[in-house]
Amino acid sequence: MDLNTITEVVRRPSERPGTDWREGDAWLAGGTWLYSVEQPDLRRLIDLTALGWEPLVPTDRGLEIGATCTVRDLYAFPWPVRWTAGVLFRRSCEAFLSSFKVWNAATVGGNICMSLPAGPMITLTVALEARYELWAPDGSVRFVDALDFVTGDHRNILAPGEILRRVTVPEHALRARVAHRRFTLTRLGRSTVFLAGTQQPGGHDLLLTITAGTTRPVRIAFDAVPDARTLRRSIDAVPADVWFDDPNGTPDHRRHLTRHFAEEIRRELTAGDLT
């Protein structure tokens, strides 16, 4: 779509682009959503891809993902054998409601900052206990848990002009055992629910992440894998107003699917039979 209100595109912003932020600006990365709908309040686009942020940087502490890393690059990354959670990265990429062409442009940071319930990069980063590095226009930096970033449907904690710089996934989460379940009404449709369960190697814990069926990510932690009744009660304790309602599913439908798939995840991790 043509954005006919845009009067300027900043192709080469400064290394700290937020310092030049003004009302009517928008960050431009992949632009897959930005160009898909009218943007009558925007006057200027600031192109972040020109900054050349490294897409994927393995470290001794885990993995750093640049906000402008494309879905294509994330999917193609050669995961070390020790990072058993690598399977969740690929499954999350495959959960995008988009063609492979969009993968070449869509970014990890863009999907997170859109903060839609079905955002698969939100599922991925919350499930793997990631932290986000945020840059403010005044030059300050803050770090937030991925779980605390999204506050509702298309809502998050970003202040005006603030930017997501990178996502850091800790080493212990990358080594976790993972089980996941996703449901869509059609084969390539938007996620109705997307769940991920993780467990530390040799451990008996369970970290269950619920997304797509809720307006914000929900994380339920157990020191030991619970029995079926305890797990169900924990899911039923999720506040009623957190369950998402749209043409892909009612709150009751999504709660039912979550109970069903969470039990499958519980059994899978208990048995150690990963798929």
Side-chain angles (χ1 to χ4, degrees), residues 84-97:
T84 50
V87 62
L88 188 58
F89 284 81
R90 293 206 164 191
R91 294 297 174 265
S92 297
C93 290
E94 291 165 354
F96 270 91
L97 180 58

Side-chain angles (χ1 to χ4, degrees), residues 237-256:
V238 175
D241 61 354
V242 172
W243 294 100
F244 191 42
D245 186 7
D246 78 347
N248 292 290
T250 64
D252 285 344
H253 176 57
R254 287 181 151 106
R255 185 186 297 108
H256 168 75

Side-chain angles (χ1 to χ4, degrees), residues 2 10 42 72 81 89 91 98 102 108-110 184 187 197-198 253:
D2 292 333
V10 179
L42 298 185
R72 176 199 60 195
V81 174
F89 284 81
R91 294 297 174 265
S98 62
V102 175
V108 173
T184 61
R187 181 173 176 270
T198 62
H253 176 57

Side-chain angles (χ1 to χ4, degrees), residues 4 38 68 91 103 117 145 159 175 190 194 216 236 249 263:
N4 56 20
E38 295 183 41
T68 53
R91 294 297 174 265
W103 281 25
D145 190 312
R175 291 176 177 267
R190 184 185 296 270
F194 192 175
R216 57 173 173 79
D236 289 346
E263 173 59 15

Side-chain angles (χ1 to χ4, degrees), residues 14 36 42 72 77 86 90 93 117 124 128 135 142 144 153 160 192 209 218 226 230 232 248 255 262:
S14 65
S36 70
L42 298 185
R72 176 199 60 195
F77 186 73
R90 293 206 164 191
C93 290
L124 171 68
L128 297 185
W135 286 3
R142 62 172 172 151
V144 300
D153 179 16
T192 301
T209 298
V218 173
T230 300
R232 182 185 176 102
N248 292 290
R255 185 186 297 108

Side-chain angles (χ1 to χ4, degrees), residues 8-268:
E8 182 182 2
V9 178
V10 179
R11 293 293 186 185
R12 296 191 177 279
S14 65
E15 289 298 316
R16 303 289 297 197
T19 57
D20 298 326
W21 178 267
R22 64 193 187 208
E23 188 175 352
D25 285 355
W27 303 118
L28 173 63
T32 54
W33 175 81
L34 193 63
Y35 288 113
S36 70
V37 295
E38 295 183 41
Q39 308 286 352
D41 298 328
L42 298 185
R43 300 293 179 270
R44 188 172 70 154
L45 302 179
I46 303 173
D47 187 358
L48 298 177
T49 60
L51 294 174
W53 293 340
E54 284 290 331
L56 295 153
V57 182
T59 72
D60 293 338
R61 298 180 300 278
L63 177 68
E64 294 181 357
I65 307 172
T68 53
C69 175
T70 65
V71 176
R72 176 199 60 195
D73 287 344
L74 188 67
Y75 188 82
F77 186 73
W79 301 103
V81 174
R82 72 179 188 279
W83 286 356
T84 50
V87 62
L88 188 58
F89 284 81
R90 293 206 164 191
R91 294 297 174 265
S92 297
C93 290
E94 291 165 354
F96 270 91
L97 180 58
S98 62
S99 71
F100 70 92
K101 297 178 183 179
V102 175
W103 281 25
N104 293 329
T107 62
V108 173
N111 187 251
I112 291 171
C113 291
M114 275 294 295
S115 301
L116 298 176
M121 296 296 97
I122 299 169
T123 308
L124 171 68
T125 54
V126 172
L128 297 185
E129 305 172 65
R131 285 173 64 80
Y132 300 161
E133 179 180 334
L134 309 180
W135 286 3
D138 64 5
S140 61
V141 178
R142 62 172 172 151
F143 299 86
V144 300
D145 190 312
L147 178 66
D148 300 326
F149 183 80
V150 176
T151 58
D153 179 16
H154 203 37
R155 300 199 309 272
N156 58 51
I157 65 170
L158 283 175
E162 200 167 25
I163 185 172
L164 173 61
R165 168 59 184 89
R166 64 167 57 87
V167 176
T168 302
V169 184
E171 176 77 13
H172 77 269
L174 292 166
R175 291 176 177 267
R177 300 172 60 227
V178 175
H180 54 84
R181 295 293 188 275
R182 176 173 172 258
F183 177 86
T184 61
L185 293 177
T186 60
R187 181 173 176 270
L188 298 177
R190 184 185 296 270
S191 299
T192 301
V193 296
F194 192 175
L195 283 71
T198 62
Q199 185 179 69
Q200 290 305 300
H204 301 285
D205 59 306
L206 171 62
L207 192 66
L208 179 68
T209 298
I210 302 168
T211 61
T214 50
T215 56
R216 57 173 173 79
V218 173
R219 179 191 289 162
I220 306 175
F222 301 93
D223 292 333
V225 176
D227 58 28
R229 179 177 296 181
T230 300
L231 179 61
R232 182 185 176 102
R233 286 176 176 172
S234 297
I235 293 168
D236 289 346
V238 175
D241 61 354
V242 172
W243 294 100
F244 191 42
D245 186 7
D246 78 347
N248 292 290
T250 64
D252 285 344
H253 176 57
R254 287 181 151 106
R255 185 186 297 108
H256 168 75
L257 290 173
T258 298
R259 292 168 179 156
H260 174 76
F261 289 130
E263 173 59 15
E264 288 192 351
I265 288 173
R266 185 190 74 86
R267 292 183 181 182
E268 183 172 320

